[in-house]
Amino acid sequence: MSVAALWWAVVASGLYHGLNPGMGWPLAVSAALMEQRVLALPRALLALAAGHLAAMLVILLPFSAMITLVALEREIRLGAACLVIGLGIYLLVNTRHPRFLARISPARLGLWSFLVANAHGAGLMLVPIYLGICAVNADAGHDAAGTLMAADVRMALIVAAVHTLAMAVAGSLLAFGVYFWLGLRFLQKAWFNLDRLWAASLVVVGAFALALTLRA
């Protein structure tokens, strides 16, 4: 995998989150419709993005600190892979969203986005890439990949920012499209839920990372 391929993986994960209605872009449309102001739409989207970014950093920053424990590097990687798999299995078995999320006021979209992103494991999906679990150091391509996956705080911030930007772009396109052109009937007729696919992808990524770590 090249450095570009790894960054595309980060962007793709963000786009996936942005397209998922469960990450909140319908709430941005709702906020704009209730306030009857177009400016309410980007304001709500920014709040959602801020909450998502905070959820990413809560996961990535502790892992960036743990990577300094070189003696336990393999154990940390195994634990991270198992954590990703465990959350994926949990989300596949438990399909209900936490009830307390429904009690959060629409005015607190940043808080709502932060809690939802943590509940969905937004940061955990990137942990295997960030910790360098996929690195085998077999050739120049893997050496290049190590540049991206050299875990430090600065890289954690960049990865989280790129992922959040991709998520915000995808969600904004859908939110503006529904608000200006498609209308609420589109949501009623074409509602889609990506939660099960996301949970399955967590299991796949975690299993892949676990297998590579055990083989290394």
Side-chain angles (χ1 to χ4, degrees), residues 138-194:
D139 52 37
H142 286 105
D143 290 338
T147 302
L148 170 59
M149 298 183 296
D152 56 41
V153 174
R154 182 180 64 87
M155 187 56 64
L157 293 172
I158 295 173
V159 168
V162 170
H163 172 92
T164 302
L165 179 61
M167 171 262 186
V169 169
S172 297
L173 290 174
L174 281 172
F176 275 92
V178 170
Y179 183 82
F180 284 105
W181 299 292
L182 300 176
L184 293 180
R185 287 190 177 183
F186 170 78
L187 291 180
Q188 296 172 349
K189 294 181 179 179
W191 178 262
F192 52 97
N193 192 323
L194 302 177

Side-chain angles (χ1 to χ4, degrees), residues 25-192:
W25 63 261
L27 293 178
V29 177
S30 175
L33 290 173
M34 286 191 295
E35 295 186 26
Q36 296 184 345
R37 290 193 304 167
V38 177
L39 289 178
L41 188 57
R43 188 173 66 234
L45 290 167
L46 283 174
L48 290 170
H52 196 87
L53 177 61
M56 296 281 296
L57 295 179
V58 164
I59 296 294
L60 291 179
L61 290 180
F63 275 103
S64 69
M66 290 197 314
I67 199 63
T68 59
L69 303 175
V70 180
L72 299 176
E73 181 178 355
R74 187 169 187 271
E75 287 75 10
I76 291 173
R77 290 180 176 185
L78 289 172
C82 291
L83 191 61
V84 173
I85 295 173
L87 180 61
I89 294 174
Y90 172 78
L91 292 176
L92 282 173
V93 174
N94 182 21
T95 57
R96 294 184 178 181
H97 286 258
R99 291 186 177 181
F100 72 90
L101 292 175
R103 301 190 183 102
I104 298 177
S105 168
R108 299 177 180 177
L109 286 179
L111 174 61
W112 182 90
S113 178
F114 171 77
L115 294 174
V116 166
N118 274 313
H120 281 256
L124 283 178
M125 175 59 88
L126 298 181
V127 166
I129 296 176
Y130 179 68
L131 288 180
I133 286 176
C134 298
V136 184
N137 295 326
D139 52 37
H142 286 105
D143 290 338
T147 302
L148 170 59
M149 298 183 296
D152 56 41
V153 174
R154 182 180 64 87
M155 187 56 64
L157 293 172
I158 295 173
V159 168
V162 170
H163 172 92
T164 302
L165 179 61
M167 171 262 186
V169 169
S172 297
L173 290 174
L174 281 172
F176 275 92
V178 170
Y179 183 82
F180 284 105
W181 299 292
L182 300 176
L184 293 180
R185 287 190 177 183
F186 170 78
L187 291 180
Q188 296 172 349
K189 294 181 179 179
W191 178 262
F192 52 97

